Amino acid sequence: MFTQYKLPYAYDAMEPYIDALTMETHHGKHHATYTANLNAAAEKAGVLDMDIETLLGSLEDVPKEHRTAIRNNGGGFYNHNLYFATMAPDGARAPEGRLAEKIDATFGSFEAMKEELTKLALGQFGSGWAWLSADKSGDLTLSNSLNQDNPISLGTGTVPIMCIDVWEHAYYLKYKNLRADYVKALFEVIDWKAVEANYNRVIAG
Ligand code: MN3
């Protein structure tokens, strides 16, 4: 059974950057539906007791008739868990420690990394995501992907530690077609303490 991430903050906690109605619809409808559909498909496929990262990393082992449903809804479940868990109204607005050092070493600076990730978010045609991911050795990569795919389901050998949802449902109510304004605003509510915790978990294996 896959359990949807429960928000530790109110729907309006990200105002004015992410509006309350978007948060409520996004978490209460979209994410809830991905979770329900994943559980239904996973039950049929006999994978209800699997860890979600293991499941997404071994989609080829899922019975073919259930694979697309697991890929899309499992991705939707996992991606949104990460998305909502890495924002906070009072979070750290910049990384520290080993993650900060690695970002500087890899991308030049935190600002340069954000710029690069923003380009990937804006350059993702249609619905999808942009990712900051890490592998076990601590190396960082930036990428984007279509629909609900992610670096795990795409078999990259990396695990996402921070993400940007660029489906229109993530921003359309407030920002309409202005994806760039939404991405800029999202960075104002990212909790880099949570991202750092994800990074340390990936390194620890
Ligand atoms: Mn979404």
Side-chain angles (χ1 to χ4, degrees):
M1 180 83 179
F2 297 96
T3 308
Q4 184 185 8
Y5 177 74
K6 198 173 176 302
L7 300 185
Y9 44 75
Y11 286 133
D12 65 0
M14 306 305 157
E15 294 271 11
Y17 303 105
I18 311 292
D19 62 290
L21 184 57
T22 293
M23 289 295 286
E24 184 176 358
T25 312
H26 203 174
H27 185 267
K29 307 281 187 212
H30 293 280
H31 191 193
T33 301
Y34 287 123
T35 306
N37 290 346
L38 168 64
N39 278 313
E43 189 173 11
K44 285 185 209 153
V47 295
L48 208 49
D49 59 346
M50 274 182 84
D51 166 78
I52 188 62
E53 292 192 7
T54 309
L55 178 58
L56 290 175
S58 57
L59 286 170
E60 68 281 0
D61 297 335
V62 173
K64 203 164 179 231
E65 65 270 32
H66 303 301
R67 199 176 299 157
T68 302
I70 301 272
R71 176 179 173 177
N72 290 336
N73 294 293
F77 165 77
Y78 177 88
N79 299 346
H80 288 93
N81 274 5
L82 178 67
Y83 180 75
F84 290 118
T86 47
M87 61 172 83
D90 49 2
R93 296 300 174 237
E96 288 176 21
R98 190 169 167 186
L99 176 60
E101 285 167 26
K102 194 68 185 180
I103 285 174
D104 288 348
T106 308
F107 307 105
S109 67
F110 179 49
E111 285 308 313
M113 187 280 288
K114 288 203 306 191
E115 238 172 75
E116 198 58 40
L117 186 56
T118 297
K119 267 186 219 161
L120 287 163
L122 302 185
Q124 174 56 52
F125 187 79
S127 296
W129 294 77
W131 307 99
L132 170 62
S133 308
D135 67 16
K136 273 183 192 156
S137 74
D139 285 348
L140 296 171
T141 44
L142 300 174
S143 63
N144 56 14
S145 61
L146 250 184
N147 300 327
Q148 295 297 352
D149 289 342
N150 65 42
I152 299 173
S153 62
L154 292 170
T156 62
T158 66
V159 176
I161 61 172
M162 180 258 167
C163 58
I164 302 177
D165 186 345
V166 293
W167 284 58
E168 284 185 342
H169 67 226
Y171 61 89
Y172 205 84
L173 291 177
K174 182 178 173 77
Y175 295 99
K176 301 295 185 283
N177 60 321
L178 302 177
R179 188 188 281 189
D181 290 359
Y182 152 71
V183 171
K184 192 162 184 268
L186 181 66
F187 275 116
E188 300 295 327
V189 294
I190 296 294
D191 178 11
W192 287 94
K193 200 90 208 152
V195 179
E196 203 179 321
N198 292 338
Y199 182 65
N200 292 335
R201 205 175 307 124
V202 174
I203 298 173

